Amino acid sequence: MKLSICHLYPDVLNLYGDTGNILCLKKRLEWRGIGCEVTPLPIGAKADLARFDLFFIGGGQDFEQEVLLADLHGGKDRALRSAVEDEKVFLCICGGYQMMGQYYRTHTGEQLDFIGALDFHTVGSDLRMIGNYMFTCSEKNGASTVVGFENHSGKTFLGDGVSPLGKVVSGYGNNGEDGTEGARYKNVFGAYCHGPMLPKNPAFADLILQTALSRRYPGAALPQRDDSLERRAHDYMANRLARTN
Amino acid sequence: MDPRVFLAVSACKLSIRLLRLTGRGGTAIPGKIALKICPDLLGRLARDVSCAIITGTNGKTTSARMAEEIYLRAGVPCFANRSGANLINGITSAFIENATLTGKPKKRHAVIECDEAASKAVCYLVDPAVVLVTNVFRDQLDRYGEVSGTLSNIYTGLKNAPNAVVCLNADCSLTASLADRIPNRVIFFGVDVPIYKNPVSEVSDAPYCIHCKHEYDYTYRTFGHLGGFYCPDCGYKRPEPQLAVTGILETGPASTRVRMRVFGEDLLVTVNLPGGYNIYNAAGAAALSEAAGFSRETAKAAIAGFSCGFGRMEAFDLGGKSARMILVKNPAGCNQVINYLSALDEKALFVCCLNDNSADGKDVSWIWDVNFETLSDIADRVPEILVAGIRAGDMAVRLKYAGFDETKLRVFDGDYDALITAMQAQPLPVVIMPTYTAMMALRAKMSAAFGGRDFWE
């Protein structure tokens, strides 16, 4: 068995250690004897997206956003939308998450059109939503508790076509208002979770891998791993946030 | 004399004494008290002081130590904020310590390292004679946001320093871009040649042109985004430095020998610290020396003879066992430490201490941007890694995913006594990589157990 992972825009969407997610996916496959090929797809590079099982998109700096949007609107947006509809698995963090939605409206009213693969939009605010945070995934997203660090000023509001990834236990989540965090549509998982997200949330990491594996190899299952070191890091933050809540 | 100055200065001096009596070296709190009593105190105390400000993401403390040594060897008495308290409170404390009770300066020169965001106010208040900008890298994003935010803080600081000669890192596309935006006299410093044979791979913090957003090309790189950058689209390129390191002659475990060209004059310089990033610190300090008007011989002797401290390759004696402490705080700096460590050929015990207090950066995500994989490549020379600090759990996970066998990792959390005992109970020299507050805590414990200077000395 082998999974093909596409790391989209590693040259610009590489803030806050999010690439640790790629490392985590790769290692958790390798440790289980499952093959894994990671293909970086920087700005300007072309590839047939249909050959990938799993896509990762991280967060970036505002400075490079224009460069990125030009590349997206040069055709990648269409390819990504059809990959989404084709039930490919996506993990999208922060800026990469926002990018999957309809648009971003800055707090001065300027609108940046994103790829519109998912039914949500983001609105800029003066509030920086920053800090360690925790949310509980909904039942269909594995029901695990996820801890991480959020750092965004955009407020994301979900439309009818998507469901939240989970419910905020501590922190802000999508917008600091409705108690939701992240989005799930088909096999797309979006969240504001830096940290990076996957290494110290092994249950969620395995949910991503299992979803990709099941799509490619129906019936295949991931063997259990000893995650005591990962859980130790996870539990420390979960307990700390539970105490301060 | 304004009675508030007297009151503020005496309250501050008193609190410094009290803190030291109780064994704590809090250098920021006294300044905070003083500024409450007299908000424009720093400006008043700086009026008769000629000040060199050192700012930038990495290398502030080391460059400042080198600069201080240059002043001392030139016979110019100066004071400094030596314990790294580089926000306005800590800097005010340093000026108060240098002042008489009536607010007159005892020494008339100061070498001040200054946080990038704080440089806006500090430059305004002290009207510096020299400003050195070391570099701009991604730092604690929870405090500063993106690198463009850091750069704009420094720019505001420079605008508030109209009388300063400004020393800028020519190899840093972000820092060098400041030159065109200020009227000041600028001295560029840089390194003309690659530094490492096999540098760790790392993400560039500035891949796209600051002027036109086209991707930079490089004629060579030193590390990170530093090197001979040029923009093929708009033509923005590395300026020719007046002070350039033109050759790396010898790199040892304790020092580096380089060739430096200073305004056309070739010098052989020994940098009394290992590590490629310290070559930049030496070049920056030498540029500062030019700006302040000291002789090249003095700068050369100071860079060869200064002793570092405060967690910058600082050496400790752990009851007969050698230990080095190397402060880490962001990916660029930590990757340079990894470059240094992976070039050592002796076995060592590594200790990582990760805290997430606000002085460390509350977001510990940055450890995933550090190339710890390079350390796992030399795993045969690293029999064990001790992991400690508030976020020891995260650090241990990072090392596991970097390829270290879990059995090689021992996690101590905040128990520094047990950590120190474990460092002693094994035969190898120790290399400790702590974040800022972990360093403070560990230093205090180690000084108490084995003696040594307190950090404010």
Side-chain angles (χ1 to χ4, degrees):
Chain A
M1 289 192 291
K2 181 180 154 191
L3 290 182
S4 288
I5 301 178
C6 174
H7 186 182
L8 204 57
Y9 298 131
D11 48 339
V12 284
L13 297 179
N14 56 21
L15 208 53
Y16 309 111
D18 289 335
T19 46
N21 290 320
I22 290 280
L23 179 63
C24 180
L25 292 167
K26 194 164 175 270
K27 289 284 179 187
R28 296 184 74 81
L29 287 170
E30 280 171 5
W31 288 334
R32 286 149 161 149
I34 301 171
C36 171
E37 185 192 20
V38 178
T39 307
L41 206 60
I43 283 179
K46 303 239 182 302
D48 175 16
L49 300 191
R51 74 182 177 88
F52 299 111
D53 302 300
L54 177 48
F55 293 82
F56 172 70
I57 318 175
Q61 312 204 56
D62 292 344
F63 179 78
E64 281 109 6
Q65 196 168 45
E66 276 171 51
V67 189
L68 186 142
L69 284 177
D71 190 71
L72 266 181
H73 294 318
K76 263 194 199 112
D77 47 357
R78 273 194 310 279
L80 286 169
R81 279 194 300 267
S82 62
V84 168
E85 290 307 315
D86 200 21
E87 303 197 323
K88 301 276 189 181
V89 181
F90 282 76
L91 175 64
C92 314
I93 302 296
C94 199
Y97 163 42
Q98 294 175 347
M99 196 189 91
M100 297 297 276
Q102 307 285 351
Y103 60 85
Y104 185 101
R105 198 167 63 236
T106 66
H107 54 296
T108 53
E110 190 194 347
Q111 185 166 318
L112 298 169
D113 285 324
F114 287 159
I115 71 169
L118 271 69
D119 181 16
F120 65 78
H121 67 273
T122 305
V123 181
S125 77
D126 293 330
L127 175 70
R128 185 138 278 270
M129 290 164 273
I130 184 166
N132 292 297
Y133 83 132
M134 171 160 63
F135 64 96
T136 309
C137 290
S138 59
E139 216 46 58
K140 79 164 184 178
N141 295 314
S144 67
T145 297
V146 171
V147 291
F149 195 95
E150 62 181 326
N151 187 354
H152 55 110
S153 56
K155 294 185 168 188
T156 294
F157 295 95
L158 305 182
D160 295 334
V162 295
S163 59
L165 189 61
K167 230 173 81 182
V168 175
V169 180
S170 171
Y172 297 92
N174 277 334
N175 48 51
E177 294 168 21
D178 62 16
T180 65
E181 161 59 357
R184 171 79 192 265
Y185 170 72
K186 293 193 187 275
N187 286 332
V188 180
F189 300 81
Y192 275 111
C193 190
H194 301 297
M197 184 180 194
L198 298 182
K200 62 173 178 281
N201 296 295
F204 189 80
D206 283 354
L207 171 72
I208 300 285
L209 288 175
Q210 183 64 63
T211 309
L213 208 61
S214 301
R215 187 186 170 282
R216 182 81 193 270
Y217 306 100
L222 281 175
Q224 282 299 310
R225 291 271 317 156
D226 172 13
D227 289 326
S228 42
L229 212 55
E230 289 87 338
R231 273 209 308 277
R232 179 180 180 146
H234 174 278
D235 292 351
Y236 165 75
M237 187 45 70
N239 291 332
R240 179 165 135 182
L241 290 172
R243 269 201 314 275
T244 52
N245 237 21
Chain B
M1 186 198 67
D2 188 330
R4 283 182 316 150
V5 172
F6 175 76
L7 196 61
V9 170
S10 36
C12 179
K13 284 183 182 286
L14 185 67
S15 60
I16 290 173
R17 286 193 174 218
L18 284 174
L19 281 165
R20 285 184 190 171
L21 276 177
T22 55
R24 283 178 298 172
T27 40
I29 299 159
K32 193 171 177 179
I33 297 170
L35 286 174
K36 275 255 187 307
I37 301 171
C38 180
D40 62 343
L41 186 64
L42 180 55
R44 285 162 179 263
L45 296 181
R47 209 167 283 162
D48 296 317
V49 177
S50 169
C51 194
I53 296 278
I54 293 128
T55 191
T57 309
N58 286 328
K60 289 187 286 288
T61 300
T62 305
S63 305
R65 276 295 299 121
M66 291 176 177
E68 197 188 344
E69 188 72 25
I70 294 171
Y71 279 73
L72 295 177
R73 287 184 188 238
V76 176
C78 77
F79 66 98
N81 53 338
R82 280 186 57 176
S83 41
N86 61 18
L87 301 174
I88 192 156
N89 293 333
I91 291 169
T92 303
S93 296
F95 273 83
I96 290 171
E97 278 203 78
N98 180 60
T100 64
L101 283 176
T102 58
K104 292 266 175 290
K106 296 174 194 162
K107 294 172 182 168
R108 295 189 174 265
H109 291 267
V111 174
I112 298 295
E113 73 154 273
C114 181
D115 170 86
E116 300 88 285
S119 75
K120 295 187 283 190
V122 170
C123 284
Y124 180 77
L125 292 168
V126 309
D127 187 18
V130 184
V131 179
L132 163 63
V133 184
T134 57
N135 49 54
V136 175
F137 282 99
R138 282 183 198 173
D139 199 4
Q140 302 159 13
L141 289 157
D142 55 313
R143 271 174 69 204
Y144 297 120
E146 333 196 324
V147 290
S148 53
T150 306
L151 192 64
S152 115
N153 284 335
I154 295 173
Y155 172 54
T156 309
L158 291 179
K159 278 200 299 187
N160 290 338
N163 299 307
V165 179
V166 176
C167 305
L168 299 176
N169 188 334
D171 298 1
C172 171
S173 57
L174 298 162
T175 307
S177 75
L178 292 164
D180 292 336
R181 303 168 70 191
I182 52 173
N184 306 49
R185 180 185 166 213
V186 169
I187 298 176
F188 284 110
F189 64 93
V191 178
D192 281 356
V193 290
I195 292 177
Y196 300 102
K197 282 193 197 79
N198 302 300
V200 300
S201 66
E202 51 187 329
V203 290
S204 168
D205 290 351
Y208 293 95
C209 178
I210 189 161
H211 297 297
C212 74
K213 302 202 175 188
H214 193 283
E215 195 171 357
Y216 288 121
D217 277 334
Y218 281 82
T219 51
Y220 68 95
R221 278 177 190 261
T222 52
F223 56 81
H225 63 278
L226 306 187
F229 66 87
Y230 66 95
C231 173
D233 200 47
C234 77
Y236 172 54
K237 65 176 201 292
R238 174 190 190 248
E240 192 65 42
Q242 293 91 336
L243 193 149
V245 173
T246 52
I248 317 287
L249 308 177
E250 209 180 305
T251 55
S255 67
T256 309
R257 269 177 76 70
V258 301
R259 196 183 318 110
M260 225 181 240
R261 200 181 51 237
V262 186
F263 288 91
E265 182 185 349
D266 282 317
L267 300 173
L268 293 179
V269 178
T270 301
V271 183
N272 195 24
L273 265 188
Y277 51 103
N278 286 315
I279 298 174
Y280 273 101
N281 293 334
L288 186 153
S289 173
E290 291 290 316
F294 296 118
S295 82
R296 280 164 203 159
E297 281 308 311
T298 302
K300 183 178 154 171
I303 290 165
F306 88 107
S307 69
C308 59
F310 213 59
R312 275 75 178 184
M313 298 268 182
E314 190 176 12
F316 289 86
D317 179 5
L318 283 182
K321 189 157 299 136
S322 90
R324 270 192 177 239
M325 199 180 276
I326 315 175
L327 175 74
V328 294
K329 51 181 186 170
N330 52 36
C334 197
N335 274 326
Q336 294 321 302
V337 175
I338 306 269
N339 269 330
Y340 163 72
L341 294 176
S342 54
L344 294 177
D345 28 61
E346 72 217 9
K347 279 193 176 187
L349 173 77
F350 288 167
V351 181
C352 296
C353 298
L354 179 65
N355 275 1
D356 68 350
N357 295 311
S358 80
D360 306 293
K362 290 180 177 172
D363 182 1
V364 299
S365 306
W366 64 271
I367 60 174
W368 292 85
D369 285 327
V370 176
N371 200 323
F372 286 107
E373 282 72 11
T374 304
L375 276 192
S376 76
D377 293 344
I378 55 157
D380 54 328
R381 276 180 270 146
V382 185
E384 196 176 34
I385 298 188
L386 311 185
V387 187
I390 298 170
R391 300 299 292 272
D394 284 75
M395 192 66 226
V397 171
R398 174 69 189 98
L399 293 169
K400 175 180 174 179
Y401 283 83
F404 281 98
D405 197 296
E406 271 181 77
T407 55
K408 282 192 165 193
L409 306 173
R410 272 166 76 193
V411 188
F412 288 83
D413 296 316
D415 188 352
Y416 293 131
D417 291 319
L419 177 70
I420 290 168
T421 308
M423 289 193 265
Q424 272 196 287
Q426 55 81 49
L428 298 174
V430 182
V431 178
I432 309 166
M433 288 178 273
T435 57
Y436 189 79
T437 67
M439 176 190 81
M440 299 293 268
L442 202 50
R443 261 177 134 260
K445 289 264 182 200
M446 283 166 46
S447 301
F450 304 103
R453 289 174 305 166
D454 287 322
F455 70 81
W456 54 83
E457 284 170 0

